[in-house]
Amino acid sequence: MAEPNKIQETPPKGEYHPAGPDDLRSPCPVLNSLANHGIIARDGRNITAAELKSAVRYLGLGIDVATVLVNGSFQVHSDDPKKTGDGARLGLRDRDQVNKDGVPVLNLDQVGRPHATEHDVSITRQDRALGDCIRADPVLLKRFLAAPRADQGYSASDLGRYRKTRFEEQRSENPELDFDRQKHYIACLEVGAIECVFGEGFPYRVPERYIQALFAEERLPLDQGWKPRRIPMMLLELGVVVLRISHFAWPF
């Protein structure tokens, strides 16, 4: 006689468990890692601004950085690429998208919506016109993990040079390339935040083992020795790192 089906229990918060086939994920490996650890909803659905803000604060983002990123993301999304103002260029939510309590919510796959924060020339995702802009491309991931870097890990200059390499690749491969100055700075901000949150020493270097965990497994590198920052990353610090990355990545 066959055994009755066992009810699969949700792993405890903080424990890593990779996404299942029905779970929603974003183009961002850090957000996906937070979901895979249960720090935000494991299924990637109905995440409130308070939950997302708490999760990025756990990583070490200061209240100013967290507020700008989360509040902008929770604005209503516009499909008009020219629409600006009122957070429309960052907005990801559908109008009237709320949970059962009437609180505004987001799903992780909405981070990949066009005309917002998602952009061409990703480090590990394909351009929208060429393929899957949500999931990591194995070939691009392999290239990134093999990219030149300092002995101590990935520096801001290493990440900037690799961003420029990716631009040159996509400029020749994608005739529909959509990558302007604003998207350039968004792209530099993404890797700048990784540099500040996961970097060690001064100037920051992100160890290869951290990058491997984050990008290849979408897992916070806790087992590799990483700990959340004790001193929050504020906008001024992030801005300095972003400008350094931009200096080496500038493609225009």
Side-chain angles (χ1 to χ4, degrees):
M1 186 174 179
E3 291 186 15
N5 292 333
K6 295 182 178 179
I7 298 175
Q8 186 174 1
E9 296 181 356
T10 302
K13 183 176 180 178
E15 181 178 306
Y16 171 75
H17 194 275
D22 297 324
D23 294 334
L24 301 180
R25 290 297 182 262
S26 77
C28 174
V30 177
L31 288 178
N32 295 345
S33 297
L34 289 170
N36 289 341
H37 282 273
I39 297 170
I40 55 177
R42 290 186 182 272
D43 65 0
R45 292 174 169 84
N46 296 322
I47 301 164
T48 67
E51 290 166 346
L52 185 56
K53 197 172 293 184
S54 175
V56 297
R57 293 294 308 279
Y58 161 78
L59 295 175
L61 273 62
I63 186 63
D64 54 351
V65 181
T67 298
V68 169
L69 295 179
V70 175
N71 289 3
S73 298
F74 271 74
Q75 296 293 322
V76 174
H77 178 71
S78 171
D79 287 323
D80 182 355
K82 297 181 180 179
K83 186 173 181 181
T84 59
D86 298 327
R89 293 304 294 269
L90 295 177
L92 301 172
R93 288 178 54 246
D94 290 329
R95 191 173 300 278
D96 302 322
Q97 184 180 356
V98 296
N99 63 16
K100 60 182 177 58
D101 298 317
V103 178
V105 292
L106 267 180
N107 298 332
L108 279 184
D109 62 337
Q110 291 175 290
V111 178
R113 303 188 93 158
H115 318 312
T117 55
E118 194 277 329
H119 54 81
D120 285 348
V121 194
S122 167
I123 286 179
T124 57
R125 271 66 173 169
Q126 283 287 356
D127 290 355
R128 184 178 298 276
L130 300 182
D132 189 344
C133 66
I134 300 291
R135 297 172 182 81
D137 180 280
V139 174
L140 293 179
L141 176 60
K142 186 176 181 179
R143 285 185 201 167
F144 177 45
L145 294 175
R149 56 188 176 276
D151 291 341
Q152 301 92 336
Y154 295 76
S155 67
S157 57
D158 295 331
L159 292 173
R161 291 188 185 98
Y162 192 69
R163 283 227 51 86
K164 188 169 185 179
T165 296
R166 286 289 298 128
F167 175 81
E168 292 168 349
E169 290 172 352
Q170 297 313 104
R171 183 168 55 180
S172 64
E173 294 178 9
N174 183 5
E176 300 180 31
L177 185 67
D178 180 14
F179 196 73
D180 57 16
R181 284 169 170 78
Q182 179 178 347
K183 292 180 174 65
H184 163 79
Y185 282 113
I186 289 174
C188 291
L189 185 149
E190 292 166 353
V191 290
I194 288 174
E195 187 78 6
C196 292
V197 169
F198 298 98
E200 295 183 342
F202 187 82
Y204 297 135
R205 302 284 190 275
V206 185
E208 180 184 357
R209 63 188 187 277
Y210 292 3
I211 293 291
Q212 175 74 32
L214 285 167
F215 283 85
E217 302 173 48
E218 298 195 328
R219 175 173 58 81
L220 297 178
L222 295 162
D223 293 342
Q224 283 68 38
W226 173 78
K227 295 180 180 178
R229 291 179 53 135
R230 290 182 294 177
I231 300 175
M233 174 189 71
M234 308 302 280
L235 278 171
L236 178 59
E237 176 190 346
L238 178 59
V240 170
V241 174
V242 168
L243 288 176
R244 179 161 177 78
I245 291 171
S246 175
H247 171 76
F248 290 95
W250 188 255
F252 304 109

